[in-house]
Amino acid sequence: MDFNDTKFDVGFPSAGDGHARAPSYQQRYWRRAVLLKLMVLSGVVCVIHAVFWNGRSTRARGLSGKPTPKSTPRIEGDTLEPDFDWFSLVPSDEIKWTPCFDEFKCARLILPLDYLSPPGYGPNVTIAVQILPATDQANARGTILINPGGPGGSGTDMVKRRGKDIMRITGGSYNVLGFDPRGTGASTPSAQCFDSESQFKIWGAQAGTQVLNLSDESVPFARAREIALAKKCETALGGIGMEGVNGTAQEWGLARFMSTASVATDMLNITEKLGEEKLKYWGFSYGSVLGQYFSAMYPDKVERVVIDGVFDGYNYRNTSWNSNLIDTDTVWASLPTFCHQAGPSKCPLYEDTVEAITARVEATLEGLKKEPLAVPFAPAGPYVITYKALHNNAFQSAYYPVSQYPGLAQALVAIEQNNQTALEGMEERFGAGVKCQCSDPPPWLLQTEAYNAIACGDGEQLTYTEERYRAWYEDLEATSSFAAPSWGMQFLRCAEWRIRPKWRYTGPLAAANTSHPLLIVSPRYDTVCPLSDAKRVHERYPSGLLIQNSYGHCSLAAPSLCTAKHVRAYFENGTLPEEGTVCEVDELPFIGTVHSGEHVMSLEDQETLDALRRLGEAIPMIGAFS
Ligand SMILES: *[C@@H]1O[C@H](CO)[C@@H](O)[C@H](O)[C@H]1NC(C)=O
Ligand SMILES: *[C@@H]1O[C@H](CO)[C@@H](O)[C@H](O)[C@H]1NC(C)=O
Ligand SMILES: *[C@@H]1O[C@H](CO)[C@@H](O)[C@H](O)[C@H]1NC(C)=O
Ligand SMILES: *[C@@H]1O[C@H](CO)[C@@H](O)[C@H](O)[C@H]1NC(C)=O
Ligand SMILES: *[C@@H]1O[C@H](CO)[C@@H](O)[C@H](O)[C@H]1NC(C)=O
Ligand SMILES: *[C@@H]1O[C@H](CO)[C@@H](O)[C@H](O)[C@H]1NC(C)=O
Ligand SMILES: *[C@@H]1O[C@H](CO)[C@@H](O)[C@H](O)[C@H]1NC(C)=O
Ligand SMILES: *[C@@H]1O[C@H](CO)[C@@H](O)[C@H](O)[C@H]1NC(C)=O
């Protein structure tokens, strides 16, 4: 299939089209995104980046430490990806469903690139949408749109991998729809800056082994990389501002039209094209920002909006990104606590006291600073475990303590003992094991630079000065010394990113009234989207706040039947939990189920819990940094 044609049919002439070189390859997969950006490159993550794993990536496995064949987009736990070519679907002004991936339906919807131009003027985008029809058609209530976060996460991938689990929680009377926000996934054109996948990988491999530290050369180095990337993207995605009716992509520049204002408007447009009047929505991490934008811009179009793992939209929009880490150290400190509670049979790091476990973890981390560990015979070739590699993995694991702390504990023990057999199987966890891929995945599985285009474009333009950065970083470090060396990338990324969106919503991120109140869901201790942010947002919109007594990013990080029931009641009946409602969880890190042997669970609860467990592996994120 000819990628140029695909772009052409959405209104980008191929001549002079900056995107139309050989399929440009950024990895697209969630998992790949995470692996490559967060781990390989040096990653950090948050954001709400609920970069939900595009089901296509290998993240869950990478984190679980099992070897993952990176050269294929197939994922453990998923059925093999059926042969489905997104680009064989003819884009249309209306949603024209075609069966895809077994029980799903897919479509490519044509929407305006630029909502500020007159109708029909200039190029279009196509938005990939994928729907899982309601199982309870007799009580059909419409369609829930989901956003996995990122920004830049693929909604089609999330619905493909976890749509059934979301359907189970929301009760079966709603269709579940994922869409790839403009510039991402199977939506075209694609926000890719690199010329080839190998170019992207080599760039990643050059990221170096230093974590950010104001006292050494790590910051200037990281900054120089961001300058290089931003300039490369400016050429590919920046446009030259000559936006004529027959303009080329080089003139228009995709990244100028990827703002959250445009994505919120796309959601309204999708809703209308479905023949539904108002939005039903569940957004995670960055998806909580998208929900705040939508509810502020279109308050009379809110039917059900759930935002989960909430980032304060104002802090996001002024590119501060300094409200996120308030509870991060608490989440990190829960590892030794839960390990101690679980006991030696369940936690390989167990010691007699919590303090002793903490000391053991710290000693392993610190030890790698002085003496990185060589792993000569890993399957994809030799690699070295550095402090940075372990730190990145530890921070990332703290997003999902229930599913990720046990694997991290095993890795820590393997490092302590220099157990080469174990370490050889953990190359992906430490960002190694990148293989030279001879056959490239299809374009919709490639990663993009959508994160920068959306997050930096939505935000106010930052200007880097050493003093300003130092002040911002020191504040971050005072909040979380654990996360700052990773989170510190956020400023560097956006300070160098110069492409400004044509349409940037700057009105209030608040609504005196909405046509239905929002449901705000927050863990008590969220790794990167703290309860304090959720509370601020709660005050700005008619809404209910549900607190889940858990650690990790978004409610899905810890299974809770109680939370699932409130979410379902909200979607089905519109009811909000009483003010002050706190949900307990059904599983804890290392410990496992909180229910005793005699506890009898209904079949329905059992099935919901299974769905929640699977969703807990399908991790939303925010803030992936390269
Ligand atoms: C964009 O889509 C509209 C509506 O389908 C169509 O009228 C217009 O010709 C398209 N523009 C381009 C440049 O293809
Ligand atoms: C949705 O897109 C169509 C073009 O396909 C446009 O005419 C319409 O104004 C859009 N709707 C909204 C709500 O922006
Ligand atoms: C930062 O680097 C300095 C100089 O190498 C070192 O003394 C210090 O411990 C480092 N800080 C952290 C938090 O690692
Ligand atoms: C744009 O292209 C169309 C079709 O090729 C042509 O009819 C029209 O005159 C062009 N408009 C401008 C302003 O060049
Ligand atoms: C950014 O917004 C946050 C939240 O409203 C506020 O506390 C902070 O002072 C703002 N920072 C700047 C630099 O404007
Ligand atoms: C090393 O790791 C392997 C694989 O996890 C395990 O089977 C083995 O028991 C470990 N060896 C030691 C000495 O702990
Ligand atoms: C808010 O909107 C709802 C639904 O449109 C309406 O029933 C309610 O009266 C409004 N409340 C206020 C205070 O305007
Ligand atoms: C919705 O309301 C109906 C009627 O009150 C009730 O039977 C049902 O259990 C509610 N659904 C949920 C999920 O709470």
Side-chain angles (χ1 to χ4, degrees):
M1 126 17 308
D2 184 338
F3 200 49
N4 291 3
D5 285 348
T6 307
K7 295 194 160 156
F8 189 73
D9 68 47
V10 299
F12 279 88
S14 52
D17 181 342
H19 299 282
R21 292 166 288 214
S24 89
Y25 288 13
Q26 290 249 65
Q27 356 4 3
R28 210 350 106 121
Y29 248 107
W30 256 164
R31 294 183 175 176
R32 289 183 75 203
V34 173
L35 277 175
L36 292 177
K37 288 206 146 178
L38 295 186
M39 308 175 78
V40 171
L41 297 187
S42 84
V44 171
V45 177
C46 156
V47 166
I48 302 182
H49 267 186
V51 172
F52 224 166
W53 318 168
N54 272 341
R56 307 155 177 165
S57 51
T58 51
R59 172 160 204 278
R61 284 177 147 197
L63 288 176
S64 71
K66 287 178 229 150
T68 306
K70 276 196 170 178
S71 50
T72 137
R74 310 212 148 108
I75 307 303
E76 173 189 53
D78 294 326
T79 50
L80 286 193
E81 200 160 322
D83 229 10
F84 177 73
D85 178 1
W86 269 102
F87 291 174
S88 70
L89 297 178
V90 179
S92 165
D93 284 352
E94 300 301 326
I95 298 180
K96 293 198 176 137
W97 294 119
T98 300
C100 59
F101 304 108
D102 298 331
E103 65 269 72
F104 295 90
K105 291 178 194 165
C106 294
R108 295 171 70 207
L109 174 64
I110 298 174
L111 290 175
L113 175 72
D114 179 11
Y115 280 110
L116 301 184
S117 288
Y121 183 93
N124 295 310
V125 291
T126 66
I127 304 297
V129 289
Q130 183 169 340
I131 200 167
L132 182 63
T135 47
D136 183 5
Q137 287 291 340
N139 295 300
R141 287 180 162 95
T143 307
I144 296 171
L145 275 61
I146 55 176
N147 179 277
S154 163
T156 63
D157 184 68
M158 185 181 177
V159 81
K160 171 157 69 68
R161 292 188 309 117
R162 292 294 164 247
K164 282 189 213 164
D165 298 322
I166 290 171
M167 174 100 43
R168 156 69 54 191
I169 289 162
T170 52
S173 56
Y174 286 99
N175 310 313
V176 179
L177 182 147
F179 66 99
D180 291 343
R182 39 181 60 216
T184 77
S187 293
T188 57
S190 185
Q192 295 165 8
C193 308
F194 288 83
D195 302 333
S196 66
E197 177 153 27
S198 52
Q199 192 179 81
F200 179 88
K201 284 184 174 175
I202 291 164
W203 176 248
Q206 292 169 348
T209 57
Q210 283 171 298
V211 295
L212 293 177
N213 178 335
L214 294 175
S215 307
D216 59 26
E217 65 278 21
S218 57
V219 173
F221 176 68
R223 184 166 168 251
R225 281 177 58 83
E226 293 306 321
I227 291 170
L229 180 67
K231 288 203 184 302
K232 182 109 177 100
C233 286
E234 229 168 298
T235 308
L237 307 175
I240 53 176
M242 293 170 62
E243 287 145 11
V245 62
N246 288 341
T248 64
Q250 276 180 341
E251 288 160 354
W252 284 79
L254 175 65
R256 299 192 58 232
F257 303 94
M258 287 175 63
S259 70
T260 297
S262 297
V263 180
T265 306
D266 290 342
M267 290 210 295
L268 179 57
N269 221 319
I270 292 167
T271 301
E272 287 172 352
K273 303 271 181 191
L274 290 167
E276 299 176 25
E277 196 199 338
K278 295 179 185 181
L279 180 73
K280 281 78 66 183
Y281 173 73
W282 192 357
F284 303 92
S285 195
Y286 157 79
S288 78
V289 173
L290 179 55
Q292 290 167 64
Y293 273 70
F294 183 94
S295 305
M297 293 171 71
Y298 305 109
D300 57 342
K301 296 291 184 185
V302 171
E303 188 168 327
R304 301 283 187 270
V305 167
V306 181
I307 56 177
D308 187 339
V310 180
F311 185 10
D312 178 344
Y314 285 118
N315 197 283
Y316 167 84
R317 197 169 66 183
N318 69 16
T319 329
S320 290
W321 289 68
N322 63 355
S323 65
N324 308 84
L325 304 181
I326 290 172
D327 295 323
T328 315
D329 285 3
T330 305
V331 178
W332 178 232
S334 74
L335 184 148
T337 310
F338 285 122
C339 176
H340 187 257
Q341 276 175 32
S345 66
K346 289 183 169 171
C347 180
L349 284 169
Y350 179 82
E351 296 287 334
D352 287 342
T353 64
V354 174
E355 292 69 32
I357 300 172
T358 306
R360 200 171 157 184
V361 173
E362 287 303 312
T364 302
L365 272 158
E366 286 302 308
L368 288 176
K369 276 188 188 165
K370 292 185 208 83
E371 207 175 329
L373 187 56
V375 185
F377 303 114
Y383 76 101
V384 171
I385 303 175
T386 60
Y387 171 78
K388 176 178 174 177
L390 179 58
H391 178 270
N392 283 347
N393 188 255
F395 181 42
Q396 180 142 0
S397 298
Y399 277 54
Y400 317 104
V402 173
S403 64
Q404 303 303 327
Y405 275 175
L408 175 63
Q410 280 168 14
L412 286 160
V413 171
I415 293 169
E416 270 179 353
Q417 300 178 344
N418 190 7
N419 181 338
Q420 289 287 322
T421 314
L423 296 173
E424 281 161 14
M426 294 179 181
E427 52 188 359
E428 293 209 2
R429 169 181 298 276
F430 299 115
V434 178
K435 295 187 188 82
C436 176
Q437 229 170 274
C438 297
S439 66
D440 295 310
W444 54 88
L445 296 184
L446 301 174
Q447 201 199 327
T448 66
E449 299 320 313
Y451 175 92
N452 295 49
I454 299 169
C456 304
D458 280 341
E460 269 154 41
Q461 178 72 62
L462 293 176
T463 307
Y464 177 89
T465 68
E466 206 182 318
E467 279 153 31
R468 197 170 168 203
Y469 184 71
R470 178 172 288 275
W472 179 83
Y473 188 92
E474 283 173 351
D475 174 54
L476 217 57
E477 211 174 20
T479 312
S480 172
S481 55
F482 173 61
S486 302
W487 206 249
M489 284 303 298
Q490 186 56 41
F491 187 116
L492 299 176
R493 286 179 107 171
C494 286
E496 305 311 330
W497 186 264
R498 294 292 148 69
I499 306 171
R500 301 305 296 163
K502 181 170 172 187
W503 185 22
R504 187 173 163 257
Y505 173 74
T506 54
L509 287 166
N513 199 8
T514 48
S515 45
H516 196 82
L518 285 64
L519 174 59
I520 296 175
V521 182
S522 177
R524 186 178 295 283
Y525 302 108
D526 190 295
T527 322
V528 287
C529 293
L531 178 57
S532 47
D533 275 23
K535 285 182 171 167
R536 275 195 287 271
V537 173
H538 178 39
E539 280 164 21
R540 294 178 196 143
Y541 297 85
S543 57
L545 173 64
L546 176 66
I547 299 173
Q548 176 176 294
N549 198 11
S550 66
Y551 298 79
H553 185 34
C554 301
S555 71
L556 298 183
S560 166
L561 283 172
C562 168
T563 299
K565 283 172 187 172
H566 282 291
V567 169
R568 179 169 169 180
Y570 174 76
F571 275 116
E572 282 189 355
N573 294 345
T575 47
L576 292 172
E578 272 173 44
E579 193 68 22
T581 301
V582 176
C583 275
E584 297 302 330
V585 297
D586 296 279
E587 272 178 37
L588 294 170
F590 297 112
I591 294 164
T593 180
V594 302
H595 301 292
S596 65
E598 310 96 75
H599 180 85
V600 182
M601 207 177 270
S602 70
L603 180 61
E604 192 183 339
D605 280 358
Q606 193 61 60
E607 286 175 356
T608 304
L609 194 54
D610 288 343
L612 288 166
R613 284 199 189 100
R614 287 187 294 265
L615 280 163
E617 307 252 303
I619 312 166
M621 309 194 69
I622 193 173
F625 300 100
S626 55

